[in-house]
Amino acid sequence: MTDQTPPVDGPFRITVEPIPAGVTLDVEPFVQRVVADVVEALLTDRYADRLEDLHEPRPRDPHVVERPGDLRFESLVADLVAESSTRMPVYGLQALRLAGRIEQLATPAISALQTEGSAAA
């Protein structure tokens, strides 16, 4: 029986689930915040023109080497990442609960992988 209580319940809930090779972290509330940041940024005049430019195909010379700053999509993504939240705080005892839950769920998977690896050797 696994504990269904999330080890982190705020400001962004994090749940941990086992997978055969370790664990997955579900950070949906944090992702919702990041998506909201991006949508809010796209609704400003600062990004509206750049987003519109992505819909208009622009002829490109296949012989020209473009720098990352010259690539419209990549440049927009980089700027939106800079506008968004990229760090998720985990406070006090929640940090220890998260670490403990990851260790609890990952240990059997790691042991199984090590057993498989030594059997193959």
Side-chain angles (χ1 to χ4, degrees):
M1 184 161 136
T2 61
D3 181 9
Q4 296 300 319
T5 305
V8 178
D9 54 15
F12 300 104
R13 181 181 39 78
I14 302 171
T15 58
V16 183
E17 297 293 328
I19 59 173
V23 298
T24 60
L25 302 178
D26 183 351
V27 296
E28 180 181 345
F30 179 71
V31 172
Q32 287 175 341
R33 167 68 185 270
V34 171
V35 170
D37 288 348
V38 169
V39 170
E40 286 175 14
L42 289 173
L43 293 175
T44 66
D45 291 338
R46 186 168 149 198
Y47 292 102
D49 292 340
R50 292 175 64 190
L51 184 61
E52 193 174 303
D53 285 346
L54 291 177
H55 291 286
E56 298 173 12
R58 179 173 47 165
R60 297 168 84 174
D61 183 345
H63 303 290
V64 172
V65 176
E66 296 186 67
R67 297 180 313 255
D70 296 335
L71 302 172
R72 294 182 300 168
F73 180 83
E74 289 79 356
S75 178
L76 179 60
V77 168
D79 290 345
L80 289 170
V81 167
E83 291 272 337
S84 302
S85 303
T86 60
R87 295 178 186 241
M88 183 184 334
V90 180
Y91 300 115
L93 292 176
Q94 292 185 107
L96 296 175
R97 283 199 312 262
L98 178 59
R101 187 76 173 130
I102 290 171
E103 182 179 21
Q104 174 190 20
L105 294 176
T107 299
I110 293 168
S111 296
L113 290 173
Q114 289 173 338
T115 302
E116 289 174 14
S118 64

